Amino acid sequence: MPQQPIAGRYELLEELNSGGMGDVWRGYDAVLDRPVAVKVVRRQAVAGSPQLAEEFAKRFKREARITARIQHPGVPQVFDAVLDDTDTTYERLFLVMELVDGVPLSAYIHPERPLPVSWAVAVAAQVATVLSYAHEVPVIHRDLKPSNILVARDGTVKVLDFGIAAILRTDVTKLTATGSPIGTYQYMAPEQVRGGRTSPQTDLYALGCVLHELLSGRALFTADSEYLVMYQHVNAAPTPLRVLRPEVPAALEDLVLHLLLKAPEARPADEQDVYERLRPFLPPPGERPGPREAVPEGAPDPTALFRRPYAPRAGAVRPVPTTLDPAAVPPAPVPLPEQLREGIAEAYDHGGDHAPTIREGPGRWQTCASKAASALLACTATVGRSEAERSAVVSRRRTTCVMCTNVGGRWTLRRSAPCSTRSPPRTTGCGRWTTGPR
């Protein structure tokens, strides 16, 4: 990887993932001061011929622009497309995107632990919505699979790598010049295997493969080689879901089989059709998960977007404001001990004409000639009622800070280290003293 920042601004920090088309790195945008994801397209994906390389560069820019037009929360935004044009081979290509904090769908698929039906349906419904926005551009994914689908911490499903497979097409890449079609063989539609024309229904076939795998815990077809798996996609009938998992609703099984039909024109008309058929299995707003709908331990919940739509982000628990009872009897004032009285007298003695800085409460500063004693008295009057400890600066004439504290009803008088004679002393509000400008 280049040690110098890409395009003078993008730094590659650590590798996150590696795939057939390239590597994904965690990066940093030094100009906008934000984390990014950088997709580094492999050199083998670029044709060696200067003519094809130039055509590839044009295609790369065009497809990156089109991909950036997909405006949906389920699609990581494309920020930049960078070509290393130091020579005519364009061997290094970088796609800079939004960095998503999530877990790939493949991490939750296990044959012994099938996912809840509502969980799988919520993922499929969100993916169908993303595909509808992409196909309107139009952009066809061509490589939809569990490892390209992330579930973010708030339950939002993110579909990755839009446009990468579209960019690396047969006429401009070495990968396809050998006859190997772009895509992942476990999720390829029959028309992809044959090298035919792809369409939105190609992505719907892949969605059917993903939904089948989510509900059953196993891939649609398996064999000893990828060529045998591709042969099954073209010729073999899929196993109905209810044979593998009887509790799957019959209507949901019918939808998956409809998505997996061999002829593109026989599949559902569009993503809206798919979404409407998924809706009966989505949780309604306000409904709580049932015992059989528990999500995997530590996993985000994609059903949350349907149970609590447009809910505010869950943050730290904020303290509830205390409501004062007007009828309540105020606590008796804390007696002023003799040691504190001596401190007040000392403050008067050393107040002089200089104006000590007094801090009484968060963010409020007072400056006066001889109110140090008043600060101490305010401290005694307020601390014992609502807080365990408060502090006040009471003197600066002799460059000494005095702090009064009350813990458990016991008052003590403390002196800090000498403060700067040119800068008023400050307190951080929790008993720690510093010096410096206000």
XYZ file of all heavy atoms in Angstrom, residues 84-124:
323
model
N -5.034 6.509 -9.883
C -3.599 6.794 -9.898
C -3.162 6.837 -11.358
O -2.896 5.806 -11.983
C -2.838 5.708 -9.129
C -1.343 5.998 -9.077
O -0.943 7.069 -9.552
O -0.593 5.153 -8.565
N -3.128 8.032 -11.920
C -2.824 8.184 -13.351
C -1.376 8.597 -13.575
O -1.052 9.334 -14.510
C -3.766 9.199 -13.991
C -3.758 10.534 -13.257
O -3.016 10.644 -12.268
O -4.486 11.432 -13.679
N -0.487 8.087 -12.717
C 0.930 8.408 -12.919
C 1.478 7.725 -14.167
O 2.515 8.110 -14.673
C 1.745 7.974 -11.690
O 1.493 6.584 -11.425
C 1.339 8.791 -10.469
N 0.794 6.689 -14.614
C 1.162 6.072 -15.889
C -0.131 5.775 -16.641
O -1.216 6.123 -16.218
C 1.996 4.804 -15.684
C 1.319 3.816 -14.752
O 0.075 3.727 -14.804
O 2.020 3.151 -13.971
N -0.019 5.104 -17.762
C -1.198 4.856 -18.606
C -1.896 3.549 -18.295
O -2.843 3.182 -18.975
C -0.769 4.843 -20.087
O 0.228 3.817 -20.276
C -0.214 6.195 -20.480
N -1.426 2.827 -17.251
C -2.040 1.533 -16.955
C -3.138 1.621 -15.905
O -3.902 0.675 -15.745
C -0.970 0.533 -16.472
O -0.367 1.048 -15.279
C 0.097 0.337 -17.537
N -3.207 2.730 -15.186
C -4.227 2.920 -14.157
C -4.313 1.692 -13.241
O -5.377 1.120 -13.022
C -5.600 3.177 -14.790
C -5.661 4.434 -15.619
C -5.546 4.384 -17.002
C -5.836 5.678 -15.020
C -5.590 5.531 -17.762
C -5.891 6.834 -15.777
C -5.769 6.762 -17.148
O -5.818 7.901 -17.899
N -3.159 1.304 -12.700
C -3.126 0.061 -11.933
C -3.671 0.207 -10.521
O -3.950 -0.773 -9.872
C -1.694 -0.475 -11.877
C -1.210 -1.047 -13.194
C 0.097 -1.781 -13.044
O 0.770 -1.560 -12.025
O 0.432 -2.585 -13.928
N -3.799 1.442 -10.048
C -4.314 1.621 -8.690
C -5.553 2.513 -8.718
O -5.490 3.657 -9.160
C -3.237 2.219 -7.779
C -2.091 1.259 -7.509
C -1.177 1.781 -6.426
N -0.583 3.064 -6.780
C 0.303 3.702 -6.004
N 0.670 3.172 -4.860
N 0.812 4.853 -6.390
N -6.660 1.941 -8.250
C -7.930 2.653 -8.219
C -8.453 2.629 -6.788
O -8.411 1.605 -6.115
C -8.943 2.005 -9.156
C -8.458 1.760 -10.589
C -9.500 0.977 -11.353
C -8.181 3.077 -11.274
N -8.989 3.753 -6.322
C -9.449 3.859 -4.951
C -10.862 4.447 -4.943
O -11.112 5.475 -5.571
C -8.524 4.772 -4.130
C -7.069 4.375 -4.215
C -6.222 4.984 -5.130
C -6.543 3.404 -3.376
C -4.885 4.637 -5.219
C -5.208 3.048 -3.457
C -4.378 3.660 -4.374
N -11.754 3.768 -4.241
C -13.104 4.273 -4.049
C -13.246 4.619 -2.572
O -13.110 3.752 -1.703
C -14.135 3.218 -4.456
C -15.546 3.716 -4.781
C -15.509 4.671 -5.957
C -16.462 2.550 -5.079
N -13.488 5.900 -2.265
C -13.570 6.376 -0.885
C -15.043 6.466 -0.494
O -15.831 7.129 -1.181
C -12.883 7.749 -0.731
C -12.892 8.191 0.728
C -11.460 7.686 -1.264
N -15.399 5.802 0.605
C -16.800 5.692 0.982
C -16.990 5.960 2.462
O -16.036 6.067 3.230
C -17.314 4.287 0.646
C -17.221 3.895 -0.814
S -17.525 2.133 -1.049
C -16.059 1.413 -0.315
N -18.251 6.034 2.847
C -18.639 6.139 4.251
C -18.188 4.884 5.000
O -18.343 3.766 4.519
C -20.155 6.291 4.345
C -20.735 6.184 5.738
C -22.241 6.033 5.719
O -22.844 6.064 4.617
O -22.828 5.883 6.805
N -17.626 5.074 6.183
C -17.213 3.958 7.028
C -18.392 3.547 7.905
O -18.924 4.351 8.662
C -16.021 4.354 7.896
C -15.447 3.260 8.796
C -14.867 2.114 7.975
C -14.382 3.831 9.726
N -18.804 2.283 7.790
C -19.985 1.781 8.494
C -19.549 0.929 9.681
O -18.703 0.041 9.539
C -20.878 0.944 7.552
C -22.076 0.396 8.315
C -21.333 1.782 6.376
N -20.125 1.207 10.833
C -19.875 0.403 12.025
C -20.970 -0.659 12.108
O -22.088 -0.385 12.541
C -19.887 1.288 13.273
C -19.644 0.489 14.546
O -19.125 -0.638 14.452
O -19.983 0.985 15.640
N -20.673 -1.854 11.665
C -21.664 -2.914 11.653
C -21.025 -4.278 11.542
O -19.805 -4.424 11.484
N -21.884 -5.289 11.491
C -21.441 -6.686 11.430
C -22.012 -7.310 10.162
O -23.199 -7.125 9.860
C -21.918 -7.467 12.664
C -21.396 -8.894 12.635
C -21.480 -6.762 13.947
N -21.200 -8.044 9.372
C -21.737 -8.665 8.153
C -22.773 -9.723 8.477
O -22.707 -10.406 9.502
C -20.492 -9.264 7.485
C -19.480 -9.379 8.559
C -19.763 -8.281 9.531
N -23.737 -9.839 7.594
C -24.821 -10.801 7.778
C -24.304 -12.230 7.885
O -24.886 -13.065 8.583
C -25.784 -10.670 6.593
C -27.230 -11.085 6.784
C -27.857 -10.328 7.936
C -28.004 -10.852 5.497
N -23.205 -12.507 7.219
C -22.654 -13.869 7.233
C -22.257 -14.317 8.636
O -22.176 -15.520 8.904
C -21.439 -13.946 6.308
O -20.502 -12.931 6.619
N -22.022 -13.379 9.550
C -21.613 -13.746 10.906
C -22.745 -14.364 11.704
O -22.504 -15.008 12.729
C -21.073 -12.516 11.638
N -23.996 -14.181 11.260
C -25.145 -14.677 12.018
C -25.755 -15.950 11.433
O -26.723 -16.472 11.990
C -26.229 -13.593 12.087
C -25.745 -12.300 12.677
C -25.747 -11.127 11.932
C -25.262 -12.236 13.979
C -25.298 -9.933 12.465
C -24.800 -11.047 14.519
C -24.827 -9.905 13.757
O -24.375 -8.727 14.280
N -25.229 -16.425 10.321
C -25.810 -17.597 9.657
C -25.147 -18.858 10.191
O -23.925 -19.007 10.110
C -25.655 -17.485 8.129
C -26.401 -16.265 7.611
C -26.164 -18.752 7.449
C -26.189 -15.986 6.137
N -25.971 -19.768 10.742
C -25.442 -21.022 11.290
C -26.519 -22.100 11.133
O -27.688 -21.876 11.502
C -25.070 -20.853 12.759
C -24.238 -21.970 13.299
N -24.762 -23.194 13.654
C -22.906 -22.058 13.519
C -23.802 -23.986 14.090
N -22.652 -23.315 14.013
N -26.168 -23.266 10.609
C -27.195 -24.298 10.374
C -27.856 -24.809 11.647
O -29.001 -25.285 11.608
C -26.416 -25.421 9.662
C -24.979 -25.167 9.975
C -24.846 -23.694 10.126
N -27.176 -24.717 12.767
C -27.742 -25.206 14.024
C -28.505 -24.127 14.786
O -29.187 -24.437 15.766
C -26.615 -25.765 14.916
C -25.799 -26.864 14.264
C -26.650 -28.062 13.869
O -27.628 -28.355 14.597
O -26.353 -28.689 12.838
N -28.378 -22.890 14.370
C -29.049 -21.796 15.074
C -29.784 -20.918 14.058
O -29.309 -19.837 13.693
C -28.038 -20.959 15.860
C -27.352 -21.724 16.980
C -26.512 -20.784 17.858
N -25.440 -20.149 17.102
C -24.230 -20.681 16.943
N -23.960 -21.862 17.474
N -23.303 -20.047 16.246
N -30.936 -21.362 13.578
C -31.669 -20.555 12.590
C -32.127 -19.234 13.186
O -32.472 -19.133 14.358
C -32.861 -21.448 12.227
C -33.019 -22.379 13.385
C -31.638 -22.604 13.931
N -32.104 -18.219 12.375
C -32.496 -16.881 12.818
C -34.011 -16.782 12.955
O -34.755 -17.491 12.264
C -32.000 -15.840 11.816
C -30.481 -15.689 11.714
C -30.107 -14.918 10.455
C -29.930 -14.988 12.950
N -34.504 -15.923 13.840
C -35.955 -15.710 13.930
C -36.519 -15.259 12.586
O -35.869 -14.529 11.838
C -36.085 -14.617 14.992
C -34.824 -14.681 15.782
C -33.754 -15.119 14.833
N -37.742 -15.699 12.287
C -38.355 -15.349 11.006
C -38.464 -13.833 10.862
O -38.153 -13.282 9.801
C -39.742 -16.019 10.886
C -40.484 -15.494 9.660
C -39.591 -17.535 10.797
N -38.881 -13.146 11.929
C -39.032 -11.686 11.840
C -37.693 -11.005 11.589
O -37.630 -9.989 10.882
C -39.664 -11.148 13.131
O -38.840 -11.435 14.252
N -36.617 -11.543 12.145
C -35.273 -10.987 11.960
C -34.870 -11.101 10.488
O -34.419 -10.128 9.874
C -34.293 -11.738 12.845
C -33.023 -11.035 13.204
C -32.772 -10.303 14.316
C -31.794 -11.027 12.449
N -31.479 -9.838 14.314
C -30.847 -10.263 13.180
C -31.397 -11.586 11.242
C -29.556 -10.053 12.735
C -30.107 -11.367 10.788
C -29.197 -10.609 11.522
N -35.029 -12.291 9.906
C -34.659 -12.510 8.508
C -35.523 -11.674 7.572
O -35.030 -11.099 6.589
C -34.784 -14.000 8.169
N -36.823 -11.598 7.862
C -37.730 -10.829 7.010
C -37.396 -9.341 7.082
O -37.446 -8.630 6.064
C -39.190 -11.096 7.424
C -40.133 -10.120 6.730
C -39.577 -12.530 7.077
N -37.051 -8.847 8.284
C -36.693 -7.427 8.415
C -35.457 -7.096 7.597
O -35.376 -6.020 6.985
C -36.473 -7.084 9.892
N -34.481 -7.995 7.570
C -33.294 -7.786 6.740
C -33.679 -7.756 5.265
O -33.279 -6.856 4.511
C -32.247 -8.876 7.007
C -31.122 -8.804 5.975
C -31.671 -8.745 8.417
N -34.468 -8.741 4.829
C -34.855 -8.814 3.422
C -35.668 -7.595 3.004
O -35.504 -7.080 1.882
C -35.648 -10.097 3.174
